[in-house]
Amino acid sequence: MFTCQTETKSSYLSGVLANLKAKNSFEPEFLQAAEEVLSTIEPVILKNEQEYKDSALLERLLEPERIISFRVPWVDDNGKVQVNRGYRVQFNGAIGPYKGGLRFHPTVNQSIMKFLGFEQIFKNALTGLPIGGGKGGSDFDPKGKSDLEIMKFCQSFMTELQKHIGQDTDVPAGDIGVGGREIGYLFGQYRKIRNVYEAGVLTGKGLEYGGSLTRKEATGYGLMYFMREMLKANNIEIANKTVIISGSGNVAIYACEKAQQMGAKVVAMSDSSGCIYDKDGIKLDYIKEIKEVIRGRIKEYLNYVPSSLYSENNSSIPAVYNIVADIILPCATQNDINLETAKLLVNNGAIAVGEGANMPCDNDAVKYFLENNVLLAPGKAANAGGVATSALEMSQNSMRQFWSFEEVDNKLENIMVNIFNQCQNASNEYGYKNNYVAGANIAAFTKVSNAMKAQGII
Ligand code: NDP
């Protein structure tokens, strides 16, 4: 698919893929994520095919170590009992405690949890820090809920989850629908039930109780550090480039902030309803007010900047992608960009795409971008700054230290430069020029598979 070969040469790899499809036919997102990785690591497999086959390395890698699924009952403000489903996928612990966020969104199901957990294994390996891959969440919809309802849901969710996590076992963090408020309620309930101040059990905490400076900004800033390195390697300056961003949550806001600091001009942002376009450049303070303080809709930007324009999402192409820009930053959700949208973006002259979200480009879109020489920063590398800084938060918790904003930001920047170099080196070594998707998969797979081999058949 993204390989330089036209057909699969490894019979082991094609057999594993066929078996995976048969076994997981009702999990399209997981299959998509797995297929993307498998289609790029073939040159590595071919170097030592028999050994991978004899130890069933790929079969073990593709099967989560554990999936926990549980009932989350809670009582809403009207006294009605609600029941949601909670998950934690502990996918692979070969290089450290499971680590990955919690997503609260009505679309959450086992396929989405498994795709996110699978991606997380490779992302965490690329950070160079000792963290394994996991993910969790619930089909709970936080939109329109009161603070009290959010607290009651988080308490019920943690009442079950606490049996399965710990600072040396599994360390959750935030994701879509889980920000500082939710992490606070989850941490409070963990502390109450376990009667221990175990700061390292969750990351993304408030600064008053064990959080790290720069964690809030880390995913968005990290995305732009990676983007800068990728453009630099191709002799392109980031200053004065126009940027559009899908989403207006945590990742989108801080990607916008860093892009502006780097001299780029962000002209559009969105939410699931539609997008705003400000030809003079987005005024980020208003977005922060709308999204972080009043928890409103992006359309409300019109109240602050009447000269801006708003478009509803009312076609198969999300409205934000109709706006012409050099750099495209999908920072909302998976499969936001399909082939049709990719064609439009290429036609409009896009030069680079940076995946702030997890798997925002579907596999056809990825292929089309690469074939049309659009530089693509893959999510598992480009958005790894969030989890890397979570690991720095864990280090500070263990050492009972609190580092300055600059100290954490410098470490984050170094980590992102290092991740880019790993992707570039691996892509060059295996003949995938400028294919950082393949580079990220190969570099991460090599590390994880070596750790698995060393630990025997478990
Ligand atoms: P937030 O909840 O803060 O923001 C999510 C944003 O995406 C909102 O603007 C939301 O709009 C939009 N969105 C969500 N679902 C959809 C949808 N189905 N269609 C269109 N828009 C949608 O989440 P984050 O910013 O934390 O996460 C965004 C992405 O980044 C996710 O893919 C996440 O997995 C990934 N990520 C996050 C990290 C982090 O540190 N937070 C780390 C690495 C990756 P609306 O409000 O209308 O729903």
Side-chain angles (χ1 to χ4, degrees):
M1 184 185 305
F2 316 116
T3 57
C4 17
Q5 294 102 11
T6 48
E7 59 188 43
T8 307
K9 289 186 187 144
S10 162
S11 57
Y12 170 50
L13 196 61
S14 47
V16 167
L17 188 56
N19 199 23
L20 187 80
K21 285 181 178 169
K23 217 170 157 181
N24 300 277
S25 58
F26 295 105
E27 295 183 342
E29 293 85 1
F30 172 56
L31 284 179
Q32 182 184 333
E35 205 171 347
E36 188 222 85
V37 171
L38 294 181
S39 69
T40 51
I41 59 170
E42 183 167 38
V44 186
I45 299 293
L46 284 172
K47 274 188 166 176
N48 225 338
E49 188 171 14
Q50 198 58 43
E51 190 188 340
Y52 286 114
K53 190 175 176 182
D54 289 346
S55 63
L57 195 291
L58 292 177
E59 292 90 329
R60 288 189 287 129
L61 181 68
L62 289 159
E63 194 64 41
E65 291 183 10
R66 202 169 294 105
I67 299 180
I68 300 136
S69 167
F70 52 96
R71 179 204 304 153
V72 190
W74 56 283
V75 182
D76 71 16
D77 286 349
N78 299 318
K80 189 166 181 293
V81 178
Q82 304 281 349
V83 182
N84 287 96
R85 184 174 294 168
Y87 293 97
R88 188 72 185 164
V89 177
Q90 297 179 334
F91 219 121
N92 191 305
I95 60 175
Y98 311 107
K99 180 93 197 82
L102 297 170
R103 176 177 293 191
F104 291 169
H105 195 273
T107 55
V108 162
N109 58 32
Q110 185 166 300
S111 173
I112 289 179
M113 293 287 97
K114 279 177 68 180
F115 118 65
L116 289 164
F118 185 70
E119 290 272 302
Q120 199 81 43
I121 304 169
F122 301 95
K123 181 186 311 198
N124 293 3
L126 288 171
T127 65
L129 300 166
I131 39 180
K135 199 79 187 188
S138 172
D139 59 0
F140 172 74
D141 186 359
K143 276 203 197 88
K145 303 289 188 300
S146 69
D147 269 1
L148 190 62
E149 288 175 323
I150 298 282
M151 184 180 79
K152 286 192 285 190
F153 175 80
C154 288
Q155 290 177 341
S156 180
F157 185 85
M158 183 53 89
T159 300
E160 181 61 30
L161 187 70
Q162 56 87 23
K163 296 172 188 164
H164 311 284
I165 62 173
Q167 64 187 2
D168 297 318
T169 314
D170 183 355
V171 182
D175 190 80
I176 291 178
V178 178
R181 173 182 59 169
E182 291 74 19
I183 293 291
Y185 294 145
L186 291 164
F187 184 74
Q189 186 73 351
Y190 183 88
R191 192 172 70 75
K192 180 178 166 67
I193 296 179
R194 300 282 283 257
N195 192 26
V196 58
Y197 207 100
E198 194 183 326
V201 71
L202 287 168
T203 58
K205 298 181 294 295
L207 298 176
E208 306 80 3
Y209 64 95
S212 172
L213 286 166
T214 325
R215 174 61 189 91
K216 186 173 67 170
E217 294 82 0
T219 309
Y221 277 23
L223 172 66
M224 292 313 298
Y225 293 140
F226 188 104
M227 175 62 71
R228 182 196 62 200
E229 293 305 301
M230 182 174 76
L231 294 179
K232 203 162 69 185
N234 290 277
N235 301 315
I236 303 170
E237 279 274 326
I238 211 162
N240 300 319
K241 294 287 179 297
T242 49
V243 179
I244 56 173
I245 302 180
S246 162
S248 48
N250 172 266
V251 180
I253 286 175
Y254 293 96
C256 179
E257 185 163 284
K258 187 52 75 179
Q260 291 177 337
Q261 287 171 12
M262 290 177 172
K265 186 176 180 187
V266 181
V267 293
M269 293 182 80
S270 69
D271 60 21
S272 58
S273 310
C275 88
I276 43 115
Y277 169 65
D278 188 336
K279 66 175 176 11
D280 301 319
I282 294 285
K283 282 83 181 166
L284 192 58
D285 284 349
Y286 297 144
I287 301 283
K288 286 184 179 175
E289 166 92 9
I290 295 164
K291 291 294 177 182
E292 295 184 337
V293 182
I294 61 176
R295 297 178 192 275
R297 306 304 298 160
I298 197 98
K299 189 178 182 179
E300 293 165 47
Y301 187 82
L302 293 176
N303 302 333
Y304 299 87
V305 185
S307 63
S308 61
L309 300 171
Y310 175 74
S311 307
E312 287 281 337
N313 286 333
N314 54 15
S315 86
S316 54
I317 297 182
V320 69
Y321 296 120
N322 287 307
I323 294 162
V324 175
D326 303 307
I327 297 174
I328 317 299
L329 301 178
C331 298
T333 193
Q334 65 274 0
N335 293 330
D336 202 19
I337 299 183
N338 60 14
L339 182 60
E340 185 190 13
T341 305
K343 284 182 175 170
L344 174 70
L345 292 168
V346 169
N347 208 32
N348 283 346
I351 56 171
V353 176
E355 294 188 329
N358 285 309
M359 210 168 72
C361 303
D362 75 14
N363 287 349
D364 292 336
V366 170
K367 187 164 179 270
Y368 191 78
F369 284 136
L370 294 175
E371 284 169 358
N372 286 277
N373 300 319
V374 173
L375 297 170
L376 181 60
K380 61 171 75 70
N383 71 34
V387 73
T389 308
S390 276
L392 300 178
E393 183 176 331
M394 290 161 72
S395 301
Q396 293 170 77
N397 294 151
S398 297
M399 293 189 282
R400 306 279 196 267
Q401 286 186 356
F402 187 67
W403 300 335
S404 69
F405 188 93
E406 290 68 28
E407 195 172 351
V408 183
D409 192 28
N410 285 339
K411 289 185 198 300
L412 167 66
E413 189 168 0
N414 287 336
I415 289 168
M416 296 313 298
V417 171
N418 183 265
I419 292 176
F420 175 73
N421 290 337
Q422 290 179 66
C423 295
Q424 191 177 42
N425 293 342
S427 65
N428 287 341
E429 186 182 339
Y430 286 90
Y432 289 105
K433 189 171 180 316
N434 279 358
N435 181 341
Y436 306 111
V437 179
N441 289 339
I442 290 171
F445 172 75
T446 304
K447 178 167 180 188
V448 176
S449 61
N450 284 343
M452 287 176 71
K453 276 186 218 164
Q455 292 173 28
I457 309 296
I458 55 164

